Amino acid sequence: MESASTPGQLIAQRLRTMVGAEAFASWFLGARFELADDKVKVVAGTTFAARVISQNFSNEVKSAATEIAGRPIVCATVVVDGEEQATEVAPIEKILRAVAPDDAQPDFFIPELSEVALKDDVHLMEMTPFTLNGRNETRRELVYTSPQGLTLRVKAAEGEKLPTVEDYDLVLMMQSWLADMANQYKAAVERYEADRKAGLEVKPPAMPLRTFEVSISEVVKFKRAKWGGHASADVVDGLRCLASTTVSIDSKKKSKYRGGIFHLTGRVDVLAQTIEGKAARVAIEIPDWIYQGIVERAVPMLRTFSRDYLILAQPMHRALYRLLSLKVPKDGKPFTLSLSELAQRFQTRAEQKYFNRDLKKAIDACGGQLLEYRIQLIGKGEDRSLQAWRPVLVTDATH
């Protein structure tokens, strides 16, 4: 084992600070760093981790190595330690779709995706507000009743379809933008209060707008998708679907939760068009439940996602990630849920045995590692459950 004073250990310490404890625990835990000349080599434990590091963290690895070496490190290579172990892990491209060629450029919006609770800390993430199989979906309503008797309903308007996972990305985009605006507003309020105490005559800052204006190209970039000829129509169709979809909360009598009906987005207007008549820029009215939960609440009711959520190719992986981000503790303790309950939360149309089969395929496809979470099936037959946990970053006592 390397001592705390070796270059490899120092690179690891610096990288942990740069990428954050959670990302480091997910992808670099157990990795070794070897520094030679103007190159740094990362020896990862699995093919999956090696590919994620290579695609997402190579610049951070080079920067950390440059700081420790005291000279420019121009090349970072990632290799796998123990090929026999690595061959059991599915390649990352099996669960992540290809990204746009300019995806490495700084994002227009904040990198973390946000999802907000509906009301009284009732979280929409308790169920999927989108269909897992939009192509063959004929239902107009999804209904989930929690063990506590709280019923969540997602209902499409007459003549409209239920949202797909791709449609719902637009809700996440709107929330992420608003969260960024809310942070800027709160910082401006702090400056305003400080200036007033100093005796300066200043105007109070304006609250964030209740309308989200965005170009179609910015939507495509946020979704980390490749531009296509149908991009404009797909965005507009998705927004129309979201604006007409309602979420309702029905609670038992004497419950602490309030009922209510909410739209996923408000009114949508096309602000500009291309010469071909396609929408180029749109305005989306932000519904009250999102605005209140992010801007007006003292402690915003937000959950954040990894930006790689957007390139998870399978709707099943997306639905799993949403639920795990709400339920899995950060202290490494496992979260367990029966497959029958999971099927209800996902509002699958499939029989339980076919849902169980599809879930197993999804877990096998990612090698039991869904971004920062580890997942597996436990138990047998009708008693099978999903178990998930976050790896905990172990700090060397000598640090």
Side-chain angles (χ1 to χ4, degrees):
M1 181 177 178
E2 293 177 321
S3 68
S5 60
T6 64
Q9 190 70 24
L10 293 173
I11 292 172
Q13 292 177 27
R14 179 61 188 140
L15 192 61
R16 185 188 295 116
T17 301
M18 294 174 66
V19 305
E22 289 189 22
F24 189 90
S26 295
W27 308 118
F28 293 97
L29 196 62
R32 301 196 313 275
F33 300 86
E34 300 175 0
L35 187 62
D37 299 326
D38 60 350
K39 300 178 182 179
V40 60
K41 179 189 292 185
V42 183
V43 183
T46 67
T47 299
F48 189 92
R51 289 179 182 272
V52 172
I53 293 170
S54 179
Q55 292 183 6
N56 298 279
F57 297 106
S58 60
N59 288 335
E60 286 83 356
V61 171
K62 286 188 289 186
S63 295
T66 295
E67 289 188 25
I68 299 306
R71 62 181 185 276
I73 300 300
V74 298
C75 179
T77 59
V78 185
V79 299
V80 181
D81 185 16
E83 290 296 333
E84 292 184 1
Q85 178 187 7
T87 55
E88 299 175 1
V89 181
I92 193 170
E93 57 263 27
K94 287 191 176 181
I95 69 165
L96 300 182
R97 61 171 172 76
V99 298
D102 62 348
D103 187 66
Q105 295 179 2
D107 288 333
F108 182 83
F109 296 97
I110 59 176
E112 291 296 331
L113 311 181
S114 302
E115 192 159 28
V116 69
L118 279 172
K119 208 175 192 67
D120 303 319
D121 292 331
V122 176
H123 225 294
L124 188 57
M125 293 161 69
E126 294 283 355
M127 67 175 289
T128 54
F130 49 79
T131 61
L132 297 185
N133 188 3
R135 195 174 288 178
N136 299 317
E137 185 60 76
T138 58
R139 293 175 295 177
R140 290 186 47 245
E141 186 176 35
L142 307 176
V143 183
Y144 169 70
T145 301
S146 72
Q148 295 77 27
L150 191 71
T151 301
L152 292 173
R153 302 174 185 270
V154 178
K155 187 174 183 179
E158 187 70 35
E160 296 287 349
K161 295 181 179 180
L162 287 164
T164 66
V165 63
E166 295 290 335
D167 296 334
Y168 196 73
D169 287 347
L170 295 166
V171 176
L172 298 180
M173 183 182 191
M174 177 175 61
Q175 292 178 359
S176 296
W177 172 84
L178 185 60
D180 191 26
M181 294 299 102
N183 287 336
Q184 294 182 35
Y185 169 69
K186 290 171 183 176
V189 169
E190 291 179 1
R191 292 193 299 270
Y192 167 73
E193 296 294 345
D195 289 342
R196 284 190 61 196
K197 288 182 179 179
L200 300 177
E201 293 186 8
V202 290
K203 293 182 179 180
M207 294 186 69
L209 297 175
R210 288 180 174 267
T211 300
F212 173 42
E213 295 187 10
V214 65
S215 70
I216 302 300
S217 62
E218 289 164 353
V219 173
V220 173
K221 186 172 181 60
F222 178 85
K223 291 163 70 70
R224 303 181 67 188
K226 295 181 178 180
W227 183 268
H230 300 288
S232 179
D234 290 344
V235 170
V236 172
D237 288 346
L239 287 171
R240 185 182 68 246
C241 175
L242 292 170
S244 62
T245 299
T246 57
V247 179
S248 63
I249 301 175
D250 302 327
S251 58
K252 288 183 176 180
K253 291 183 179 180
K254 298 183 179 180
S255 168
K256 67 176 181 178
Y257 300 115
R258 290 173 288 169
I261 301 177
F262 315 87
H263 283 270
L264 287 175
T265 69
R267 172 176 170 171
V268 177
D269 292 312
V270 176
L271 302 179
Q273 294 181 321
T274 66
I275 57 175
E276 293 86 7
K278 298 179 180 179
R281 190 171 184 82
V282 295
I284 308 166
E285 182 183 23
I286 301 173
D288 287 343
W289 68 271
I290 291 179
Y291 195 89
Q292 293 168 1
I294 295 177
V295 177
E296 298 178 354
R297 187 174 166 120
V299 179
M301 300 180 291
L302 287 173
R303 294 276 173 174
T304 56
F305 294 176
S306 163
R307 68 192 301 271
D308 285 340
Y309 166 86
L310 289 171
I311 55 174
L312 288 171
Q314 295 185 27
M316 177 73 81
H317 285 143
R318 297 271 199 109
L320 274 172
Y321 185 90
R322 291 180 71 256
L323 181 63
L324 298 184
S325 66
L326 176 68
K327 294 294 186 180
V328 176
K330 294 184 178 181
D331 59 4
K333 293 180 180 178
F335 163 72
T336 303
L337 188 70
S338 71
L339 297 195
S340 58
E341 171 67 11
L342 189 64
Q344 292 180 47
R345 288 178 182 271
F346 286 3
Q347 288 295 292
T348 178
R349 297 182 63 186
E351 293 182 30
Q352 187 68 50
K353 62 180 180 179
Y354 296 120
F355 172 79
N356 295 356
R357 178 200 61 189
D358 292 342
L359 179 64
K360 184 178 185 304
K361 287 182 178 179
I363 294 175
D364 290 343
C366 66
Q369 184 166 341
L370 185 60
L371 300 183
E372 65 263 38
Y373 302 104
R374 306 296 188 270
I375 53 177
Q376 65 180 6
L377 294 178
I378 59 175
K380 295 182 179 180
E382 296 181 357
D383 296 327
R384 299 193 85 183
S385 298
L386 173 76
Q387 188 174 76
W389 67 98
R390 298 175 190 242
V392 175
L393 182 63
V394 178
T395 304
D396 194 312
T398 62
H399 292 178

